[in-house]
Amino acid sequence: MNDMGNNESRQMSLCERRKHCMCTANFLLVSTVVMQFVALSEQSSSVMPSSEALSFFNIAYMLGLFIPGPVGAFLVDKYRRQNVYRVSLIAMVVATALMYFDKSVEVVAMVRFLEGMMFGLAQVTLGSTLLNDLSVSESRTSSDYSFAWSALIAVPCGAGLGYFLMEKFNFNVMLLCGIAMLAASVALVSSLKVPFRAPIHPGIFGLDRFWQKNDFVPFLNLLLISIPAGVVIMAFGSWLFWAFAAAGAITANVVRKAVFRNADMRAEIVSGLLCAFFALLIIIVRDADTYYKVASFMFGAGISLASTRFLLYFLKLTGHCQRGTAQNTYMLSRECGYALGLVLALMIPVALETALVLILLSVALYLFVTHPWFMRHGDRGFKFREV
């Protein structure tokens, strides 16, 4: 009995180390992508001639996210999962290096499209496949949740690092930093010992690990939540603002279980959205550094709380063996929201006010449509207090 207990304890410890390794790799990957978003916006007007061009870059990235999805399950089944991740990030490194030598609009647009493709494939491989394969069944929801938090914390960290490097150095230094972070992410995933998995021979094209049709309502709701985050990323070019936002996200992750332990399942999302709403309201009506610091902390905490909690809705609406598909659908909603928010901030003069309205719409949609719809269609056996 003691040997069995020791073996189980060692297995759990190994799974925890693997989870932390993959979450760190994901943090580095997402930080790099967000860092490039903000660095492109900071480039001189002679290199980036218009808001229309910057918007086009973001749309190209968003479209690229969807390209590898239909073949993702085929690729991770036919080839070694770590190799698929390595190749996708090496392709991102090569694409990033192209911008070091040529910053023309055509090249940057092509690079952003390729980076969207490779980021999408990397997420299919890491979050939708390896994370679940290397986690014991009892802790998969917890692993998925930690993975989501690693991405949400990476957003303000990546934005802050991007603005810091552009303020203190230049675009080329930012590119080199991004390449180093991608290389570190590859090294972390390569260090994992991944056991052999018998192939299941899926078709070349399919929705497995790509799109979960049952998740359309939470997809739309999370999209509306993520758009204001994209707006704020583009609107505030101070690395200090994003340092406080990152602190807010980290604090929210640390204290959420104690605060919401016995609360209604809607409390975390509604509280997060209201926190983000009042943060934006403070930013709009109060023009002072002290208020900005408080507001940025609140915004980072609020958006992170609401966004990560939505993952449970995606997971609970899936069928058998569709956890990876739900994870990828969740990622697409979040990333598309950021990209559309960046475009919104570039194209309209009242973007912050629009973001404020979108948060209110998100609250209304969640309370009156998403949650009631979810209660009718969700898996009743899912434990919301599991994470």
Side-chain angles (χ1 to χ4, degrees), residues 9-197:
S9 177
R10 284 195 294 268
Q11 179 70 16
M12 291 298 294
S13 177
L14 177 60
C15 288
E16 281 294 305
R17 289 197 297 272
R18 289 169 171 172
K19 180 183 75 174
H20 293 151
C21 187
M22 287 183 282
C23 288
T24 304
N26 186 52
F27 173 86
L28 292 169
L29 174 59
V30 175
S31 294
T32 302
V33 170
V34 176
M35 183 172 66
Q36 290 191 11
F37 274 142
V38 303
L40 285 170
S41 70
E42 289 292 286
Q43 275 294 81
S44 65
S45 59
S46 61
V47 178
M48 301 300 160
S50 66
S51 295
E52 289 79 8
L54 284 169
S55 298
F56 179 63
F57 300 154
N58 293 323
I59 294 297
Y61 167 82
M62 184 179 71
L63 293 176
L65 288 170
F66 289 86
I67 300 300
V71 298
F74 170 79
L75 291 175
V76 297
D77 183 76
K78 185 173 179 61
Y79 304 103
R80 289 185 61 192
R81 290 152 286 174
Q82 284 169 302
N83 285 344
V84 176
Y85 188 79
R86 290 186 192 106
V87 169
S88 61
L89 261 68
I90 289 171
M92 287 184 71
V93 167
V94 172
T96 301
L98 286 176
M99 288 195 292
Y100 189 92
F101 300 102
D102 189 343
K103 299 177 180 66
S104 64
V105 171
E106 297 79 9
V107 169
V108 174
M110 179 189 69
V111 166
R112 295 307 292 161
F113 180 74
L114 289 173
E115 287 186 334
M117 286 178 57
M118 294 302 103
F119 179 83
L121 182 57
Q123 288 292 306
V124 169
T125 308
L126 187 60
S128 300
T129 307
L130 277 172
L131 183 71
N132 292 323
D133 290 348
L134 299 181
S135 299
V136 294
S137 58
E138 295 83 1
S139 66
R140 279 177 182 160
T141 300
S142 175
S143 296
D144 289 339
Y145 208 57
S146 297
F147 192 81
W149 269 105
S150 72
L152 265 297
I153 293 173
V155 171
C157 290
L161 182 58
Y163 283 123
F164 177 81
L165 291 174
M166 292 301 292
E167 178 184 320
K168 304 296 183 182
F169 302 99
N170 55 48
F171 189 73
N172 286 342
V173 171
M174 183 282 304
L175 291 177
L176 293 173
C177 182
I179 289 172
M181 291 165 68
L182 291 174
S185 181
V186 171
L188 284 168
V189 173
S190 297
S191 70
L192 296 171
K193 288 181 171 59
V194 180
F196 172 77
R197 187 187 66 175

Side-chain angles (χ1 to χ4, degrees), residues 188-222:
L188 284 168
V189 173
S190 297
S191 70
L192 296 171
K193 288 181 171 59
V194 180
F196 172 77
R197 187 187 66 175
I200 57 177
H201 305 294
I204 296 177
F205 300 101
L207 296 181
D208 185 32
R209 303 178 198 274
F210 171 45
W211 177 260
Q212 175 59 40
K213 61 182 184 298
N214 294 344
D215 286 335
F216 177 74
V217 174
F219 179 94
L220 179 61
N221 210 156
L222 181 59

Side-chain angles (χ1 to χ4, degrees), residues 140-141 144-145 212-216 218-219 264-266 269 308-327 329-330 366 370-387:
R140 279 177 182 160
T141 300
D144 289 339
Y145 208 57
Q212 175 59 40
K213 61 182 184 298
N214 294 344
D215 286 335
F216 177 74
F219 179 94
D264 184 278
M265 67 171 66
R266 292 165 290 188
I269 290 176
T308 48
R309 201 61 179 172
F310 251 95
L311 174 62
L312 298 185
Y313 283 75
F314 283 80
L315 293 175
K316 195 172 180 181
L317 287 164
T318 60
H320 182 62
C321 293
Q322 292 183 326
R323 179 180 291 270
T325 310
Q327 181 82 297
T329 309
Y330 168 82
Y366 172 67
T370 305
H371 187 75
W373 183 85
F374 165 78
M375 293 303 291
R376 292 193 301 271
H377 296 86
D379 175 11
R380 301 286 176 177
F382 190 96
K383 296 179 182 179
F384 243 80
R385 291 295 123 201
E386 187 177 342
V387 292

Side-chain angles (χ1 to χ4, degrees), residues 145 148-149 151-156 222 225 229 245-253 256 268-269 272-273 275-276 297-311 330 334 338:
Y145 208 57
W149 269 105
L152 265 297
I153 293 173
V155 171
L222 181 59
I225 292 170
I250 293 169
T251 302
N253 184 31
R256 62 181 175 81
E268 201 163 325
I269 290 176
L273 290 174
C275 189
F297 184 92
M298 290 173 60
F299 188 81
I303 288 293
S304 298
L305 273 176
S307 298
T308 48
R309 201 61 179 172
F310 251 95
L311 174 62
Y330 168 82
R334 191 187 66 224
Y338 296 155

Side-chain angles (χ1 to χ4, degrees), residues 329-362:
T329 309
Y330 168 82
M331 180 277 296
L332 289 172
S333 177
R334 191 187 66 224
E335 291 296 322
C336 288
Y338 296 155
L340 291 173
L342 292 165
V343 172
L344 187 67
L346 289 164
M347 299 304 294
I348 67 172
V350 288
L352 284 176
E353 290 79 2
T354 305
L356 203 65
V357 173
L358 287 176
I359 292 177
L360 287 179
L361 286 176
S362 300

